[in-house]
Amino acid sequence: MAQPNAFGGKDLRVMRKSGPTDAAPKFMSTITTKGLTETMEYDDATVPNSDNPDQVWARRSLPKGSAWSVSFSGVADPLAYKQMRADMQSGVPTYVQIQVAKPAAQGGGRWDGAVFYENLQIQSDAGGVVKFTGQLRGDGELAWTDAAAGGP
């Protein structure tokens, strides 16, 4: 069995798009920690065993919906933070691209989707740099596209 091909944190990138068709998204270099969570929601049903009606009914899970979100944090650049805050305050979706910056043969590709900011926090301590954290809520589908054969 082949060994897993781990990749570095710099190769998972959050990019800001100006719209859904933006082919040149902007690298959000101030984001240093990021995570993508995808979830499925289910309704439960219990169904009888047709061959043996006296047997205990079995649970069946029926998919009813999917959701996704992005958590992130980093070092606050005043201009980048101002843009994120403007995106949050706008009340309209912001478009993002989350890249696995590897060739297709190594699992590379990207997710594209629309998000709303759920929260955005800025903070500091007495001697440190100003940092921020935030949570994005996916709106609609999260589309996956494989990377090109030669690179991201």
Side-chain angles (χ1 to χ4, degrees), residues 36-121:
L36 170 64
T37 302
E38 296 180 86
T39 57
M40 288 292 292
E41 296 178 46
Y42 296 90
D43 272 338
D44 289 335
T46 51
V47 296
N49 182 326
S50 300
D51 297 330
N52 186 353
D54 293 331
Q55 198 169 19
V56 175
W57 289 20
R59 181 180 73 182
R60 297 286 183 250
S61 296
L62 306 169
K64 69 175 184 175
S66 64
W68 61 280
S69 62
V70 176
S71 58
F72 60 92
S73 65
V75 177
D77 168 90
L79 290 175
Y81 187 82
K82 182 179 177 181
Q83 178 64 62
M84 288 186 287
R85 187 169 186 282
D87 288 343
M88 184 175 86
Q89 297 293 319
S90 73
V92 298
T94 298
Y95 295 89
V96 295
Q97 184 176 95
I98 303 154
Q99 296 179 350
V100 175
K102 292 289 184 185
Q106 294 179 7
R110 68 180 189 270
W111 291 276
D112 290 280
V115 295
F116 286 100
Y117 280 75
E118 287 191 305
N119 61 61
L120 186 61
Q121 178 185 29

Side-chain angles (χ1 to χ4, degrees), residues 15-45:
M15 314 287 277
R16 183 182 182 280
K17 297 171 70 171
S18 62
T21 60
D22 183 359
K26 181 181 176 191
F27 178 52
M28 297 176 70
S29 60
T30 57
I31 294 178
T32 56
T33 303
K34 55 270 180 195
L36 170 64
T37 302
E38 296 180 86
T39 57
M40 288 292 292
E41 296 178 46
Y42 296 90
D43 272 338
D44 289 335

